[in-house]
Amino acid sequence: MLLISGGHLIDPSQGLNKVGDLLVTEDKISWIGDKGTAPVQQGFSILDASRMVVCPGFIDLHSHLREPGFEDKETIATGTQAAARGGFATICCMANTEPPIDTRAVVDYVKTKARVAGLVRVLPIGCITKGRKGEELAEMAELAEAGVVAFSDDGDPVINSSLMRHALEYSRVFSLPIIDHCEDRTLSQDGVINEGWVSTRLGLKGIPAASEEAMVARDLALAQLTGAKLHIAHATTEGSVELIRHAKEKGVSVTAEVTPHHLTLTEERVIGNQLIPKTYHLSATAYDANAKVNPPLRTKKDIAALIKGLKEGIIDAIATDHAPHTLADKMCEFDLAAFGISGLETAFGCLMSLVHNGELDLVTLISKLTFEPARIVRNKYEELGSLKIGSPADITLFDPDEEWIVDSNNFASKGKNTPFNGCQFKGKVMATIASGKIVYQDNLIKVKGN
Ligand code: DOR
């Protein structure tokens, strides 16, 4: 039993935005109201939340936990610890493991490992196609029965349009979304960064915006044809935002997410630190593979469109695309380096820069990390992303003004691959509560017995 006292309560699911107290009894939110009026009984612990914002636990629709198969990059234990530190009480894990999440056995394995780790809620996403090979549909009914919250071959697009049509049609039976990684591989080919002046200048093969947009357009047409729920993973271009806007206006059942890095970094970030001053040797991060990600970092114009899209409800959620990799995967020739950014532990700090710069308001940001992603997995988990009485006690506490410097050596994640290393952020997660249990607490947080 826990009293969270005197925090700034923000819960977009019920239009709540005021200072107050909140009570947690066992694993549920049992009371919420004005400061100093909570019906506290003997035995409650007290967490003083003054100066802090108290909101529903963040939900990440897109994390790569790597287990089974790539435990050198991440395990479910380390990934969920990273999630807790990042303020996430729920994460949906992607299916590109080895074996992929395409059978009940792998779903059960992931759920068991998550239960043993005992930190945050892990909701598996099942494959669209067997082995993620894009050739035949996975056993979607078996996966749905085993408890997946969506279907995705993320990391790869479903190239065959007819197969994608069947996947969308079939997904309606379970009322679960299909999440697509939108990339026309005949256009992206072996590109490694955005196609533009930086790719030309550095002599790296580019990935044009059209590679994403062509696939978004196809998927939207198929979603309209089938009436199924489509979710666009990691949208990055102005053109994608416009296509999704148009589809929403027509009533297509589509939702979309954007990552923190695509909202804050441009293609220039891959240039890294070219020269070590004084010696004029090329620095180890001359082409910074930590900024190599798929889809690639784009341009300022795209960022402006993505932020506008978030504000206008065209982009529904912010998702990390947490993609941990080993040092060896990244510290190699740029062309050979793996795509991906380890994102769970920097997401919130990085996103708060948008709030402090006046580009996004705090309530919208919280909504995109809580209430909105909850709606996308609502069919399975109705009460997530809310502080309403009776909801699971998933709560994130953060100090919007606490400053800190990113040091990837301190990450709980095995993936130290971040382009934000050394960045100073303002806004820090101070505690994460998942199902009533404090799964992360900053050194500054003290919980007193009553
Ligand atoms: O950068 C990426 N990394 N994009 C993806 O779609 C997959 C991910 C991974 O699994 O590493």
Side-chain angles (χ1 to χ4, degrees), residues 284-306:
T285 56
Y287 288 41
D288 192 352
N290 285 322
K292 180 178 173 183
V293 63
N294 189 17
L297 302 174
R298 303 283 189 186
T299 66
K300 275 193 183 140
K301 204 156 167 268
D302 293 305
I303 291 183
L306 292 167

Side-chain angles (χ1 to χ4, degrees), residues 64 66 96 154-155 181 234 293-295 321 323 325 339-341:
H64 295 273
R66 306 298 192 207
N96 61 342
D154 181 69
H181 168 121
H234 41 52
V293 63
N294 189 17
D321 195 2
H325 289 292
F339 286 102
I341 290 174

